[in-house]
Amino acid sequence: MASSISHRKTRDEYKKEKELDEARKAGNAPAELDEEGKEINPHIPEYILKAPWYLNASKPSLKHQRGVTKKEMDKGWYLRGATTGEAATKYRKGACENCGAMTHKTKDCCERPRKLGAKFTNEDIRPDEVIQKLELDYDSKRDPYNGYDPSSYKEVMDIYEKADTERKKKKLQELIKQHGGTKNGVAADGLTTKDDDNEKLSKELMDNEEKEGSYDSETIAPIQKLDQKSRTTIRNLRIREDTAKYLYNLDVNSAFYEPKSRSMRENPLPNANPNDIKFAGDNFARTSGETKEFRDLQRFAWEAQEKGQDVDISSAPSQAALLHADFLRKKEQLKQQTRNQLLSKYGGEEHLLKQEEIDKIPQSEIYTEYSSSGKLIKGEEKVVKSKYEEDVFLNNHKSIWGSFWENGQWGFACCRQLIKNAYCTGEKGKLLREKQLQQQQQQQQQQQQQQQNNENQDDENTTTTTTTSLLEQHLNKSNEENDKYNKKEEKKKEKKEKKEKEEKLKKALKDQDELNKKSVEKDERKIKYNSLSADDYNVSEEQMEAYNLKRKRSDDPMANFKDDSDD
């Protein structure tokens, strides 16, 4: 067998090695030993025996073919609540300031924060905890039951055993009552009974329990099928003619279908009409029918048991149902009584809606569900025919706005009001409206008659009156001439004022040009104390206008432009 030697072999060495391998295979030479002193089978091929180059193997060995030895890991768990010994009597430097233990700091302390810590009181110093460093493997770290104490489950078992014994006692008492009314070996007539009767009753009770707990194919739900030969149960079978649940809606984002239990809890067609859907989800079956009544009955039984009443829906369902019905009847009576008391005290019964008015309110069987923001979650969106609200009765009206038309104005047909924000006045409003119309017609007729009379009088005046006198005509002409003269004088004054303003503006512009040519900027710090006491410090309108026209603006692109023609 060729050994894995790194240096190059000569022809003689290679020949000797071949002869040694053949002798080992024939059994004439002893087998080769590895690093651990174990014999190597000479019939192992060279590609298995040869170690990879990166292992730097100097001797033949099969170590590279063996599995890697795993490091031994801890299989235990942390000791909960374990301490190293007794607690210290005095506070130690570096310990927790809250409880006084040395194994953790104050911010990591799990005890309730004390008003004054152990650092200041030296009282109730807790012992040091046992700190473990366990090296757990992959499975131990992720095992949810690692460190679980099975003995702690005994408390749960004890509770169920107590409940079971109580149930058996209750059943036994019922059977004793059925078979003569005996209790603790004493009959109802005072005679003692034999122990054999009690044993028979207990056997009968055990037989009933076995029958109830038996797994019989006749008592199984119709959704299950029990195969007697193979002892297997096939659940949730469906008839082959029925449509599969996942075929109602082929959308990928529709209701989730679980193939293992063959269940689809949500509605596959949430926006369709519920009356037209053959399958509305498994949750619909759980919440439809009498399930709500049963849920209310179960809640009533639990609340009654909390208050100390003996109501059990599983052992005595009829009794629980009767008690629940009685409770609902009394609750309704009490509600009606309080309502009547409030109405008799404060009144207002005439403003309450009657059943006839409630029936008039339009209702729909289409289920719709909205979010808090008003967005539709389930059901069909209501088709809006118009952007305006329809059938909305405002301010106690019985008809909508626009049901009445008169003289180019809309109104309400119930009271014939033409103002939209007005309240309904009913039949009285109609009568008032008719009276107003009659009064308006009468007023119009009177106005027409007055106009006719006035026209007739004007005609008479024109025929009877003569031409005005010569004196009146002369006065009128003189007044007209005076008005014309006044207007001419006003125009002359305006022109004169305008010319004066233009001259003043020209003078102010010249003064401003002289100041700009001198280009002397007056510094406010060099102004004399009494410089503003002169009479000419006030600025006129023309000077201000000239300054605004001639001042340089930094944002003006033509500020530095000079026209040679002006020079």
Side-chain angles (χ1 to χ4, degrees), residues 483-538:
D483 291 336
K484 287 180 181 178
Y485 178 76
N486 292 330
K487 286 179 181 178
K488 285 180 180 179
E489 289 293 328
E490 286 177 359
K491 286 181 180 179
K492 285 179 181 178
K493 280 184 181 180
E494 287 178 357
K495 287 180 180 179
K496 192 176 181 181
E497 288 176 357
K498 194 174 182 182
K499 283 181 180 179
E500 288 177 355
K501 279 185 180 180
E502 288 176 356
E503 288 174 358
K504 286 180 181 179
L505 182 60
K506 286 179 181 178
K507 188 180 179 182
L509 287 169
K510 284 180 181 179
D511 295 341
Q512 190 66 31
D513 288 334
E514 290 175 359
L515 285 171
N516 292 337
K517 283 178 181 178
K518 290 179 181 178
S519 65
V520 177
E521 295 181 0
K522 292 182 181 181
D523 194 358
E524 290 180 356
R525 292 175 294 180
K526 295 178 181 179
I527 296 173
K528 294 180 181 180
Y529 181 74
N530 294 322
S531 62
L532 298 177
S533 62
D535 295 334
D536 58 345
Y537 74 91
N538 288 327

Side-chain angles (χ1 to χ4, degrees), residues 170-189 191-194 196-205 208:
K170 199 172 182 180
K171 278 266 188 182
L172 186 61
Q173 288 175 4
E174 290 178 0
L175 287 171
I176 289 168
K177 286 179 183 178
Q178 290 176 6
H179 293 78
T182 61
K183 188 177 181 183
N184 296 329
V186 180
D189 54 358
L191 299 173
T192 57
T193 58
K194 295 180 181 179
D196 297 338
D197 296 338
N198 290 335
E199 289 179 3
K200 287 179 182 178
L201 291 172
S202 60
K203 284 181 181 179
E204 187 178 346
L205 180 63
N208 289 335

Side-chain angles (χ1 to χ4, degrees), residues 1-9 13-14 16-22 24 31-34 40-42 44-51 57-62 64:
M1 190 74 181
S3 60
S4 57
I5 300 168
S6 61
H7 64 83
R8 190 173 180 82
K9 300 173 187 176
E13 287 175 351
Y14 186 76
K16 285 179 183 179
E17 193 174 343
K18 277 284 184 184
E19 289 174 356
L20 183 60
D21 287 341
E22 289 175 0
R24 282 173 179 167
E32 194 175 7
L33 301 176
D34 60 0
I40 298 173
N41 191 347
I44 293 174
E46 189 179 358
Y47 71 91
I48 294 175
L49 183 65
K50 222 172 190 179
S58 58
K59 292 183 179 180
S61 174
L62 290 172
H64 60 278

Side-chain angles (χ1 to χ4, degrees), residues 378-444:
K378 289 184 180 179
E380 284 184 342
E381 188 71 41
K382 187 179 178 182
V383 179
V384 181
K385 296 179 181 177
S386 173
K387 68 177 181 179
Y388 302 103
E389 293 181 348
E390 297 181 0
D391 300 331
V392 178
F393 300 107
L394 304 171
N395 297 332
N396 208 22
H397 288 281
K398 294 181 180 178
S399 60
I400 60 169
W401 169 256
S403 58
F404 179 68
W405 173 265
E406 186 182 29
N407 298 330
Q409 287 182 320
W410 293 106
F412 297 96
C414 56
C415 58
R416 296 185 181 177
Q417 290 271 11
L418 300 176
I419 301 169
K420 190 174 183 180
N421 294 329
Y423 283 87
C424 184
T425 54
E427 295 294 331
K428 293 180 180 179
K430 286 183 179 179
L431 296 172
L432 288 170
R433 184 68 183 164
E434 289 176 357
K435 287 181 181 179
Q436 286 177 359
L437 289 172
Q438 289 176 1
Q439 289 175 359
Q440 287 177 1
Q441 287 176 0
Q442 289 176 2
Q443 288 176 359
Q444 287 177 0

Side-chain angles (χ1 to χ4, degrees), residues 67-79:
V68 181
T69 55
K70 289 185 179 180
K71 187 180 179 181
E72 291 185 2
M73 309 297 286
D74 295 326
K75 293 187 178 179
W77 196 248
Y78 300 98
L79 299 172

